[in-house]
Amino acid sequence: MDSKDKIIINGSKFSFRPGETILQVAERNGIEVPTLCYIKGSMPTGACRMCMVEVKGARNLLPSCATPAVQNMVVETESERVIKSRWINIELLISSGHHNCLTCEANGDCRLQELAYRYQVETIRFPESPAIYPIETSNALIIRDFSRCILCGRCIQACNEVQVNNAISYGYRGTASKIVAVGDLPLDESDCVFCGECVQACPVGALIEKPSRFKGRPWEVKKVQTTCPYCGVGCQIDLHVKDNEVIRVTGTEDATPNLASTCIKGRFGYDFINHSERLTSPLIKENGKFKEVPWDEALSFVADRLGDIKSKHGPDSIGVFCSAKITNEENYLAQKFARAAIGTNNVDHCARL
Amino acid sequence: MTNPISDIEESDTILVTGSNTTEGHPVISSYIKRAVEFGEAKLIVIDPRKIPLTRFATLWLRQNLGTDVAWVNGMMHVIIKENLYDKTYVETRTEGFEELKETVQRYTPEYVSKITGIPPDDLVKAARMYAEADSASIFYCMGITQHTTGTDNVKSLANLAMLCGNIGIPGGGVNPLRGQNNVQGACDLGGLPNVFTGYQPVGDPAVRERMAGAWGVSSLPESTGLTLTEMVNKAGGSIKALYIIGENPLVSDPDLNHAERAFANLDFLVVQDIFLTETARIADVVLPSTSYAEKSGTFTNTERKVQMVRKAINPPGQAREDWEILCDLSSRMGYPMEYRDCKMIMEEIASVTPSYGGINYTRLEKEGLHWPCPTVEHPGTPRLHVDKIVRGLGMFHAIEYHPPSEIPDKEYPLYLTTGRVLYHFHTGTMTMQSDGLNDLAPECFVEISLQDAQDYNVDDGDLLKVSSRRGEIRAKARISDQAVRGTIFIPFHFAKAAANKLTNAALDPIAKIPEYKVCAIRIEKLWVQGEDR
C-alpha cells in the first residue's frame, strides 16, 4: 500500500487506509492481536477488552478493534502493561462462570482456553461466580449453557449483523446479564430459525450443537470441505468425520459464497447420511416383495430387461431421469447412457418441479 | 443468475418476486437483508404471501396468483411513460423496443390493478424505485416459473431489466435462484431432452456428429426427447420403462393420483437412490447409491459456479457411486463406459463442452469457477452480458397477459399455492431423517388468513379436508398473517398429505413446467383441535 498515512506497531512502520482500525492494520501485516468478541465484517463492539493495546500518549489502554489508526500513532500490542491487562481479563472471564474443560464440547476449540494457555493463566484469584440461569436443553439442536457464557456478544452479532435474523440480544443488567431471545423465551418458542450461526460464532462452550454432543473431540475428527447438498446457493461446508460418521457440520471459514454461514438444513440436516434405513444392497421385486441380490445379478437383470424393451418397442420407449442431486460428472454419464447406450433423447430431471 | 451472489450488496434496488428467499435460499436472503439493513439498498417484494422478507421491504406488492406478466408490463408502462428508461442502452444494446412499447401501452396502472389487485399508486412507486436506481437487480424463483405462463413471466422480467439497462452491470441482472444443489449442473451437463452438454442442441447435425465422434458411436438420436412430465403422462403408453436416479416423482409431480396410476402401467421401473423412497417402493429394481458425503465430483451452483464435492466417508453396505453404477450397466448393455475416477469424466466434459472447456480439478481445488470458462487460461465469468448481450442484441418480447389455467369458481372457491418451508427440503428424503428438523416442522399444514378462517369458522389446529378437481388431502389449519384472504398455502414436502394431489398438471407450452403455483380448491372442517378422532 502506497498511502502516506503511517502507523508504528511494535516498532515497525505500516501504511493504512483512512478508517482502518489498529486491529485491521495489525492483522493485514501478520501481527496477531488476540480477540474474543470481534467478528470480521461486523461493527466492533469492544465488549471483551481482550484486544487492548498500548498507544503512546493515551492515558488508558485502547481496544484495537474499535480504535481507528491515526497518522504517526505508536502502538505496542504485547507490552508489559498490555499483557498484565489481558492476564487479569482472562482470570475474570474464567471466574465469571463454570469454565471446566473436562467434558466441555469446546475443549480443543475454545478461544478462552487458548488465551489462558497463551498467557499462562494457571491460578485464578477470584471465586467462581455461581450460575444463575439453568442450561437450556429444550430443543433438539442447540444447547445454551449460560454458565459458560462470557457475554462477548459474538452470537448477537452473528444473528443480527451476519444472518440478520434478529432473534437474540442482551437482556437484564449487570451481573444478571444474559443473552436472550424475545421475552427471554427458550429458542424453540422464539423467532430463532436455528441456522446455528451463533453456535459457530461462540468462542467458548456456551452454545453447542446438541446432536454432536459427546460424539468426538475436535482433535479426533477429520474435516472435509465440500458443497452443501440442499438448495442451489452452493454453500461451502466442512464435514467433521469420526469413525466413518459425519458428526458435525460447520460453514467453511472465508470461503465464498457463504463466508461460513449456513442455514438450518446445511448445518443440522445431515442425519440422513449415516441413517440406519439407507439402502445397502440392490433389490429386485419378486411377487410384490423386495429381495436382496448381488450387484452382478441386479445389473444383468436391468440390462436384459432394458435390452428387451428396446428391441421390442424401440429406444424411445425408455426414459431416463437424471438428477439435480447427483454430481455434474454423474449427470453427464446419465445423459450419455440415455443417448449413446440406449439411443434416446428421453432424458430429463426435476428442474421444473 | 446473470450476476454473482456477491453482487447483491452492490445493488441500489433489489426486486424479489416469486421467491420466499428466507426459507428457500436462506444464505442469499442474508445478503439481501444485509444490503437493506446495513447498506443503502431499497427492497421491493412482489409476492402473493406476506413472506418474512417483507419485514425488510420498502414496498410489498401483493399480486393475485398468476398475474405476473400484467404487473411487469404495468411497471414498464410507467417507466416508458415517465421517460425513466435507459435510452442509450435500449438503442445500442437491444432490439424490438417499439413492439414492446406498443404492447405495454394498454397496461396502465389502473388496468393492471384490475387484473393483479395491486393498487395503482404502489405500482407507480415500484416502477420508479426500480428505474431510478443506478443498479437494480431482480431475484426470482419458482413463484415466477411454475405457471402455464412461466416462460412469459421470465421473458417479462428480462424485458424490465433490459429496459432500465440493468443487464451486464455490477449489482444488476436477472437472477433465478435455483432450488436444488445441482439443478444448474444437471441442465448444463445435458440432462435435458433437447440439448447435449453446454446447451448444444440435439437438433443440430454438426453438434450431433461431433458428439457421436467423441462418444465413439455411429449416430445419435436427432429428435427432441420427452420432458419428465411428458414421460410420466405417457408411462404405460409409448413409454414402457423408466430409469430414475435420485428423484422422487411420486411426491414431487403434479396431480399425483394421475402420476401414481401412470407409474403402475410401466413395464419396468428402476430406481437408483439412497433410501427406499415412495417411488422406489413401486420399482422393479432398486439400486443403492451414495450420498454427497460418500462421493467426489462437482456441483454447479445458482451463480453458475462449479465447485468441488469431496468424499468424506465410505458408503454403507454395498452402495456404489452413481457414476460407477452407470458405467457398469452401460458396459453390460453393449456400450462400454470406463473411467478411472470423476476427474477423468470432467476431462471428457471439458473436451466436449465449450462453456466448461477450461474447467479442471486442479483449478477447482483452489476455488470454484463460473462458466462460461472456455480455456484453462480463462478466469471464468461471474457476470454475464458485460459490454454486449451474449446473443448480440438483447431481444425485447412483447407479451400479453394470460390468466392461469384454473381459477376459483363456485365449486372450488379458493386459490391454492404451494411452496417450501425452511425446515424441509423438497420431498423430505434427506431432511425428514433429522429429529431436530422434524420437531420444528413435524407435519403438513394449511396456511390460511384470519379472514378466511373466520368465514369458514376454522380455528388454529383444526383438521381440514382440502380438495381440488384432482384429489384431496387432510392437514391442520395454521392461521397466519402471511396469508392473504382467498389464497391458501400448503407446503409440498409431506408425502402423507401431499399437496401435489391437489395441484394442476397444466403445462407451460414451451418450458413444460407444471402450474404448481395456482389452482382452485375448497376446504371443509373435519375435526376441531383437541377432539378425539
Side-chain angles (χ1 to χ4, degrees), chain B residues 187-266:
Chain B
C187 296
D188 296 348
L189 274 306
L192 294 170
N194 57 337
V195 287
F196 294 107
T197 63
Y199 307 94
Q200 305 174 83
V202 296
D204 182 337
V207 171
R208 268 201 321 278
E209 196 180 329
R210 202 170 58 242
M211 295 305 286
W215 290 350
V217 290
S218 55
S219 68
L220 285 165
E222 57 180 272
S223 57
T224 294
L226 301 174
T227 64
L228 186 149
T229 28
E230 287 170 331
M231 284 189 255
V232 173
N233 282 338
K234 294 187 176 173
S238 63
I239 292 288
K240 305 292 181 197
L242 284 177
Y243 190 101
I244 300 181
I245 305 170
E247 303 227 340
N248 191 9
L250 282 193
V251 181
S252 62
D253 271 21
D255 192 358
L256 276 182
N257 292 334
H258 167 77
E260 274 170 31
R261 285 192 298 273
F263 272 80
N265 290 333
L266 284 169

Side-chain angles (χ1 to χ4, degrees), chain B residues 327-392:
Chain B
C327 286
D328 198 340
L329 178 62
S330 185
S331 303
R332 283 165 199 262
M333 290 187 66
Y335 180 71
M337 285 208 257
E338 281 165 13
Y339 299 91
R340 216 175 28 249
D341 50 22
C342 293
K343 191 176 165 206
M344 195 172 159
I345 306 173
M346 183 50 95
E347 283 162 11
E348 183 175 315
I349 292 171
S351 73
V352 298
T353 315
S355 56
Y356 275 63
I359 294 178
N360 61 54
Y361 280 19
T362 314
R363 296 184 75 186
L364 293 179
E365 273 302 333
K366 287 185 215 123
E367 169 77 65
L369 286 164
H370 298 260
W371 66 258
C373 178
T375 63
V376 287
E377 292 80 30
H378 195 283
T381 314
R383 205 172 287 126
L384 289 176
H385 312 298
V386 180
D387 302 327
K388 187 168 161 259
I389 304 260
V390 170
R391 77 177 281 271

